[in-house]
Amino acid sequence: MSATPLLVGVDCGTTTIKAIAFTPNGRVVAAAGVPTPTQYPRPGWAYYAPDELWSCTVDALRQLTAALDDPARIVGIAVASIGETGVPLDRAGRPLAEAIAWFDNRTEAQARRLNATIGGARFFAATGLPVIPIFSLCKMLWLQEQRPDAWQQAATWLNAADYLAYRLSGEMATDYSMASRTLALNLARLEWDRDLVREAGISPDVLAPLAQSGTRLGPILPEVAAATGLPAHTVVGVGGHDHVCGAFALGITESGHVLDSMGTAEGIFLPLEQPITDAEALARGYSQGAHVAGGYYGLAGIYTSGICVDWFRETFADNADYATLMAEAQEVQPGSLGVYFLPHLRRTNPGYAMEHSRRLHRPFQRCEPRCGLSCALEGLAYEARYTLSGLLAHTAHAAPTHISVTGGGTRNRLLLDIKANVFGHELDVVSVDERRRWAPQLGGVAAGLYADCRGRRGRLRRRPRDT
């Protein structure tokens, strides 16, 4: 009997670039990770050097193949990544400028101008998105204005996952879930809105060809095989946006199902049969896009989630031991003695009809660290419930039928207990590796192992705790 083939997924995230090898049924065989090389040149700015992103990806893949008994079993690979970061390339495929991080705020002026000149309603009607600084079109405009010599040479814009797939295969494409984060995709027609992009001041010719996730791009390049240890026959498939790919892998494809991805930031993901057209969703900052599985999704990002705990420890608890702080917070009664926390450390989260709000009610300095941490966790849980309830209000579902939670934040058992109580709903806790099982599906389709893709969902449940 021939050896079981393997499929590889590369996940380029905010903090880590991971490479994981799976069997076709989703069993993890080996994994490797390298910190995402992020540069912070000034307050509020963050970027990735494209060549560093690639070299770290090569390093992760090299570690992965070195951990396998027989790397020749690998037949397919796909890449998922953060959604709004992109790389401008010249006609020879060379990067021209830094890849501005999704959370970088240098593009606020460009977002304001688009809202003033074209209007948020026009963008929402076409793309289903509010005009906020994180989206790729704002980053393109900033580069055009601030790096004109580089931008004049731009032939193609590739989102981060598309860029890494291009470096693997030499072929350029972007899937609909990634295109949904550019502020340039006509959501109803699933094609680039060339007129809108042109009106914004960008040539639509820089937009990459659109392709369905799992589409075969081609085999890896010979030099990639030599550098990574991947076999030369490895086929590269079109990947997608990490949140959307994760939802797809977990089977979050039906209306009423919810995925809460709890990481440095937090994403509330809700499958939709049709795009939201209610302009109130625009006013409250919700976004939407095309689902990897077909159909659509609504998305609300809590821009500072897990990082709030780190911020609290560094700012108010003198970097006290994490386990000790959590044990002490466990003893605090619900309500945290009247101290409240609004997790808006970067900007206002979707759900609020305001652009900016940063406020602590009763400063943390006036309470014990254990009480401050408890109220931070309660604030995160209530923020997630408020964000989700506002998103559900724009659909036919008054309440979720199923909630899955995943990401590094699920290691915080106290936060999960609080969140289950605040939601009033059992939580289906799914491992990060389970969420990354989009790779066997997308890579397997590209390699010809599957005719289509089917999601899977973990079964570890965490029920509301009695209070």
Side-chain angles (χ1 to χ4, degrees), residues 12 16 68 111 180 183 186 211 223 238 290 303 324 385 395 462 464:
C12 179
T16 309
L68 295 171
S180 298
L183 207 63
N186 187 291
E223 59 268 29
V238 176
Y303 302 120
T324 300
R385 191 184 80 170
T395 74
R462 190 159 188 84

Side-chain angles (χ1 to χ4, degrees), residues 95-163:
L96 292 164
E98 66 264 38
I100 301 172
W102 68 268
F103 55 86
D104 182 295
N105 65 14
R106 75 180 78 178
T107 53
E108 290 184 352
Q110 287 70 32
R112 286 195 298 268
R113 187 167 68 252
L114 289 176
N115 273 312
T117 57
I118 299 176
R122 169 87 184 279
F123 274 100
F124 181 76
T127 70
L129 299 174
V131 179
I132 57 177
I134 68 171
F135 293 127
S136 305
L137 186 61
C138 296
K139 302 181 192 304
M140 296 180 203
L141 287 169
W142 188 92
L143 290 168
Q144 183 186 63
E145 296 165 15
Q146 302 298 323
R147 304 280 193 273
D149 292 344
W151 186 258
Q152 287 172 7
Q153 304 174 60
T156 310
W157 174 272
L158 293 180
N159 289 89
D162 312 328
Y163 171 69

